[in-house]
Amino acid sequence: MTEVLARLGAGWILAVRHLGRSLLLLLRILEGVDELLLRPRLLVEQLFSVGVLTVLIIAVSGLFVGMVLSLQGYYILSQFAAESALGVMVAASLLRELGPVVTALLFAGRAGSALTAEIGLMKATEQLSGLEMMAVDPVRRVLTPRFVAGFIAMPLLAALFSALGVLGGWFVGVGLLGVDDGTWWVQMQARIDWNEDLSNGVIKSLVFGFVCTWIAVFQGYNSVPTSAGVSRATTRTVVHSSLAVLGLDFVLTALMFK
Amino acid sequence: MRQGQEVSVAGSRPPDEPVLVKIRGLHFSRGDRKIFDGVDIDIPRGRVTAIMGPSGTGKTTLLKLIGGQLAPDRGTIEVDGLNVHALGRRELYRLRMRMGMLFQSGALLTDLDVFENVAYPLREHTRLSESMLRKLVLLKLEAVGLRGARHLKPAELSGGMARRVALARAMALDPMMIMYDEPFTGQDPISMGVLVKLIRQLNDAARLTSILVSHDVAETCAIADLVYVISGGRVIESGPPEQLRESGSEWTRQFMQGLPDGPVPFHYPAPALEADLFGEAA
């Protein structure tokens, strides 16, 4: 019993220590944001790597999620002769929940893991130490641009996901299942609320982008500099990010839609 | 090994020879393992000083302590009169601009080519025009014989070439000192010969101070003016290479001559073989 308690305690101490270190790292990352104004090229390169290279998986996923949503929604709504509300249902589901959440999960798997692996390998091959010895702060030069790029890219990717999801849903609902085209768009315009749906979705995606990129850069910077260490850090990025996104989504939803 | 046999270079140093790096009472541990247990070292300006010792004695750690990447548990390290671990981040980075370090792996930035790797510190810390920067980088690469390799990526370089590029990068800001971390490890005889010659030539031509960490006795002694031998967290002996070769210390003799057995035993501590074989010991 004592041993179990001791292990639990040790686990908690380790978790709190990690949280403290990640918070300190976050402060150092944020300290360097002003330098990006002087060196915008660093940010543009990372926006390409973190954002543009993630577009394909987000676009394809958004399209298919919208199509499936439309298909499932039609079967349920048609039982109540409410097919006309299909567009609203698809758009609201995507903007409020699926857009930010699924994008964040995909972002953690594609961009987050790549960020962790890249930073971890830079550490393992002494590139970060090399920068330090060249009097270049690796946090400002390597971590800050990646963090800011992730924070900017995530809401844009979520918007793309939702937009393509609506188009996918329209293709299935209007094109294949025969819902009226005009009703689809008019109902959507009338019922989708700027604050309730759009703004809340954007806030969620900003929060998820912040958390996922923070976890990714911290895990990379904190990884054990061996191949096994980088591999474990990459796995932790995906697991921790996914859990954080799902947990935060519940909290944010509870706060936003009281 | 035997503390009584330590030769203090600090004591024997001519008074007119200034010291660039002064280490006093250095203590450093990793977990429960003591790496340094009261080390005193003086690195004279303008010389090649070698820090030698078996693997795992903390030679690389010593370079990281000098560069301020690690902090000692106790003791002080002064570089050019500045206490490295009392400096703020800005002052430390300003000091590092006057230090170069050649990492064992080269530590080149893998997404940049050779030219951009050497240009990196210049782009970061100077406002040189592109044409001036190009000339400087080409001169640095010429000094290490790799001007023709400027368009290659680090992945296309051999281990020896990568270290020469890293050396050109370490020299880019014309530092006052360069620290070499195991520069000869894993090198073929030709690359090793090139590196040995380069380290000495660059030290003399650019009036640098070089700190060379290595366990390659022959190559290091060929170019070092002064050698410190460390083991068990302490300086065992120090002096010019010729003096160490004729040292009366058994430990130093074993290390310098590469003898398999001696004060550093061939066998890791274990119970008697018979006891182990016949199951008398656990």
Side-chain angles (χ1 to χ4, degrees):
Chain A
M1 184 64 189
T2 321
E3 201 177 306
V4 174
L5 281 174
R7 276 189 193 174
L8 269 174
W12 272 106
I13 289 170
L14 193 69
V16 170
R17 191 180 294 164
H18 266 84
L19 189 66
R21 287 172 70 178
S22 62
L23 275 167
L24 288 175
L25 182 68
L26 180 65
L27 288 178
R28 282 187 64 196
I29 288 171
L30 295 176
E31 267 175 21
V33 170
D34 57 331
E35 251 185 55
L36 284 181
L37 299 173
L38 301 172
R39 298 168 191 266
R41 218 182 108 224
L42 286 173
L43 180 60
V44 173
E45 281 171 6
Q46 291 312 315
L47 275 171
F48 178 79
S49 165
V50 172
V52 177
L53 295 181
T54 316
V55 161
L56 185 65
I57 189 171
I58 296 293
V60 173
S61 306
L63 203 63
F64 280 105
V65 167
M67 287 163 77
V68 170
L69 205 56
S70 190
L71 210 54
Q72 292 280 15
Y74 182 81
Y75 290 131
I76 295 171
L77 292 173
S78 60
Q79 290 175 25
F80 307 98
E83 302 92 335
S84 58
L86 185 62
V88 182
M89 193 217 82
V90 169
S93 308
L94 284 165
L95 290 170
R96 286 182 175 198
E97 290 297 334
L98 292 172
V101 172
V102 179
T103 303
L105 295 176
L106 291 169
F107 181 83
R110 161 63 185 81
S113 59
L115 280 177
T116 302
E118 188 188 12
I119 296 167
L121 281 172
M122 286 182 85
K123 187 178 179 186
T125 53
E126 295 183 309
Q127 291 179 58
L128 298 183
S129 289
L131 286 175
E132 275 186 359
M133 287 310 297
M134 282 190 279
V136 175
D137 185 353
V139 173
R140 283 171 180 247
R141 218 37 107 252
V142 177
L143 269 57
T144 302
R146 283 162 177 77
F147 176 80
V148 175
F151 183 63
I152 294 173
M154 189 37 220
L156 296 175
L157 290 169
L160 180 72
F161 183 97
S162 298
L164 285 169
V166 169
L167 284 180
W170 173 84
F171 174 72
V172 170
V174 176
L176 302 181
L177 301 173
V179 175
D180 181 64
D181 191 15
T183 313
W184 172 280
W185 294 113
V186 169
Q187 288 258 19
M188 198 185 294
Q189 279 183 326
R191 299 277 181 84
I192 294 298
D193 183 66
W194 176 262
N195 286 327
E196 186 106 308
D197 302 309
L198 259 171
S199 302
N200 284 340
V202 171
I203 291 169
K204 275 187 181 180
S205 60
L206 282 169
V207 172
F208 296 159
F210 187 93
V211 172
C212 286
T213 323
W214 178 21
I215 290 172
V217 294
F218 172 70
Q219 290 295 347
Y221 195 66
N222 200 42
S223 62
V224 178
T226 61
S227 47
V230 174
S231 156
R232 276 198 297 273
T234 310
T235 308
R236 272 200 302 270
T237 289
V238 177
V239 173
H240 291 189
S241 299
S242 304
L243 293 175
V245 164
L246 295 170
L248 279 170
D249 184 47
F250 173 74
V251 175
L252 289 171
T253 305
L255 290 173
M256 287 168 172
F257 303 100
K258 278 191 262 188
Chain B
M1 231 275 294
R2 291 174 202 157
Q3 300 306 322
Q5 287 185 345
E6 283 183 24
V7 177
S8 164
V9 169
S12 63
R13 180 172 52 81
D16 59 333
E17 190 177 54
V19 173
L20 182 66
V21 181
K22 189 189 280 186
I23 300 174
R24 289 290 176 272
L26 179 69
H27 288 76
F28 183 78
S29 307
R30 280 189 197 276
D32 295 334
R33 193 172 155 235
K34 209 165 248 186
I35 310 283
F36 295 119
D37 186 16
V39 165
D40 293 340
I41 291 177
D42 280 349
I43 308 284
R45 206 181 285 267
R47 305 287 189 91
V48 177
T49 303
I51 312 285
M52 299 181 76
S55 299
T57 45
K59 302 186 295 295
T60 303
T61 305
L62 183 66
L63 293 188
K64 289 192 170 179
L65 284 160
I66 295 173
Q69 289 187 291
L70 294 173
D73 300 334
R74 256 192 298 151
T76 57
I77 299 176
E78 282 183 18
V79 176
D80 204 23
L82 297 168
N83 183 347
V84 174
H85 300 95
L87 298 175
R89 192 186 296 271
R90 262 167 213 256
E91 290 80 31
L92 179 62
Y93 275 33
R94 212 169 294 142
L95 178 63
R96 280 182 186 161
M97 284 167 68
R98 299 195 286 141
M99 298 174 169
M101 181 153 172
L102 182 75
F103 286 84
Q104 198 173 343
S105 61
L108 297 176
L109 297 166
T110 45
D111 52 343
L112 302 180
D113 63 15
V114 165
F115 182 94
E116 285 303 324
N117 260 290
V118 179
Y120 193 87
L122 293 166
R123 288 196 196 285
E124 284 290 329
H125 298 301
T126 68
R127 292 178 189 275
L128 294 172
S129 68
E130 200 56 34
S131 71
M132 178 59 79
L133 188 137
R134 182 174 178 276
K135 284 182 189 115
L136 265 176
V137 172
L138 292 182
L139 284 173
K140 300 292 177 191
L141 284 171
E142 176 72 8
V144 296
L146 290 176
R147 187 168 44 85
R150 61 182 179 270
H151 298 305
L152 297 181
K153 287 277 192 175
E156 297 172 284
L157 303 173
S158 69
M161 287 165 84
R163 281 182 210 182
R164 282 152 70 189
V165 174
L167 183 52
R169 187 179 69 176
M171 294 190 316
L173 292 171
D174 293 327
M176 61 181 175
M177 65 181 257
I178 296 192
M179 298 185 278
Y180 298 89
D181 184 10
E182 301 280 9
F184 311 124
T185 304
Q187 297 299 303
D188 63 67
I190 299 172
S191 301
M192 201 180 288
V194 169
L195 281 167
V196 167
K197 195 174 144 214
L198 266 177
I199 291 171
R200 185 74 241 187
Q201 273 182 352
L202 290 173
N203 187 80
D204 297 343
R207 293 179 181 173
L208 292 168
T209 298
S210 303
I211 306 175
L212 176 58
V213 150
S214 180
H215 50 217
D216 295 289
V217 177
E219 289 74 21
T220 306
C221 286
I223 52 169
D225 298 309
L226 182 63
V227 177
Y228 280 88
V229 183
I230 55 174
S231 181
R234 301 185 71 89
V235 173
I236 298 302
E237 197 158 353
S238 58
E242 315 81 58
Q243 184 185 317
L244 291 190
R245 276 199 201 97
E246 285 156 23
S247 166
S249 154
E250 274 181 58
W251 194 99
T252 306
R253 214 165 43 240
Q254 185 192 2
F255 181 76
M256 298 297 277
Q257 294 174 14
L259 303 174
D261 212 349
V264 177
F266 171 71
H267 288 287
Y268 193 83
L273 179 63
E274 292 80 8
D276 241 359
L277 287 179
F278 298 108
E280 289 169 30

